[in-house]
């Protein structure tokens, strides 16, 4: 069985190192996962006034989240936290109240940075947000990637054997986590509105 996994890239930059990392993850994912990018670039700034009549970009985004069986968040760290564009997307996807598109989606968090601690602080912040959204998280292995441009090709090729082995292991663990969560998750939840 193949599971459709939506992935969100936390940077809007066309040459983002996290976009390169996402391409590598797609290449290294086991065949049980079909990874599809869910773009966040065209989402307006979240405004509660617009919740009940959102623009098409918002409804398309929420639909893409809901059609995914799991989510992979590939993101940089901005100012020791979640990039604004990604947090904005999460805010839209979780609203209006009672229509949280993220609920019960098995999630993985990974990110690349040129700094030595990778994206550790962003991931810590993201775990708090995802916990509130009732989105189960892969807690181990943790993946804080110090980006080395020599180790990655623009097309997602991983040139460093150790990095490739680690990323392949991470994706295998995420695939197993998706299977575990989906086998235990029953549809419906008290408070959900259809």
């Amino acid at each position: 069985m193949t599971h459709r996994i939506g992935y969100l890239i936390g940077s809007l930059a066309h040459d983002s190192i996290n976009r390169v990392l996402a391409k590598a993850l797609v290449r290294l994912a086991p065949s049980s996962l079909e990874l599809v990018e869910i773009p966040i670039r065209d989402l307006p700034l979240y405004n509660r006034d617009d919740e009940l009549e959102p623009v098409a970009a918002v409804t398309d985004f929420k639909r893409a989240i809901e059609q995914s069986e799991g989510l992979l968040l590939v993101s940089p760290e901005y100012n020791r936290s979640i990039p604004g564009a990604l947090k904005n997307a999460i805010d839209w996807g979780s609203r209006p109240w009672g229509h949280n598109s993220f609920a019960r989606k098995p999630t993985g968090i990974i990110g690349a940075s040129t700094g030595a601690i990778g994206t550790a602080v962003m991931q810590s912040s993201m775990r708090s947000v995802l916990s509130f959204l009732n989105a189960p998280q892969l807690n181990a292995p943790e993946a804080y990637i110090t980006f080395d441009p020599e180790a990655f090709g623009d097309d997602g090729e991983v040139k460093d054997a150790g990095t490739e082995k680690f990323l392949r292991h991470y994706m295998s663990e995420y695939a197993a986590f998706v299977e575990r969560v989906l086998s235990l998750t029953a549809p419906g939840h008290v408070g959900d509105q259809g």
Side-chain angles (χ1 to χ4, degrees):
M1 174 180 281
T2 302
H3 297 292
R4 181 183 177 92
I5 305 300
Y7 66 92
L8 285 69
I9 301 173
S11 171
L12 300 182
H14 73 279
D15 62 347
S16 166
I17 60 176
N18 282 278
R19 181 165 295 282
V20 173
L21 176 59
K23 289 179 184 177
L25 297 173
V26 170
R27 286 177 68 131
L28 297 172
S31 60
S32 63
L33 303 181
E34 174 196 1
L35 277 83
V36 179
E37 183 179 357
I38 301 175
I40 64 173
R41 171 179 293 281
D42 295 331
L43 293 171
L45 288 176
Y46 170 76
N47 183 340
R48 184 177 55 83
D49 293 343
D50 300 327
E51 277 185 359
L52 299 181
E53 293 183 17
V55 297
V58 171
T59 55
D60 291 347
F61 174 75
K62 284 183 68 71
R63 185 178 309 111
I65 294 291
E66 291 161 8
Q67 290 174 345
S68 299
E69 294 175 87
L71 299 168
L72 192 60
L73 306 174
V74 186
S75 180
E77 176 177 302
Y78 290 174
N79 299 316
R80 296 288 187 255
S81 192
I82 303 166
L86 181 56
K87 181 59 168 64
N88 184 60
I90 291 169
D91 291 344
W92 273 120
S94 62
R95 305 298 294 179
W97 186 259
H99 297 272
N100 172 15
S101 301
F102 291 94
R104 296 176 305 282
K105 303 287 182 182
T107 57
I109 310 167
I110 187 170
S113 169
T114 56
I117 63 169
T119 57
V121 183
M122 177 281 295
Q123 291 189 37
S124 178
S125 297
M126 183 66 74
R127 290 187 188 287
S128 177
V129 171
L130 293 174
S131 292
F132 179 77
L133 298 180
N134 193 26
Q137 303 158 50
L138 173 66
N139 291 313
E142 296 176 314
Y144 313 121
I145 309 302
T146 302
F147 190 82
D148 176 2
E150 302 292 319
F152 292 88
D154 290 338
D155 62 351
E157 175 191 6
V158 183
K159 301 174 183 178
D160 177 77
T163 302
E164 179 180 0
K165 180 179 179 182
F166 176 78
L167 294 177
R168 189 179 303 278
H169 173 69
Y170 179 84
M171 292 306 292
S172 294
E173 289 290 336
Y174 176 68
F177 176 70
V178 168
E179 290 289 341
R180 285 193 306 273
V181 171
L182 295 180
S183 69
L184 298 172
T185 303
H189 183 272
V190 174
D192 282 355
Q193 298 175 13

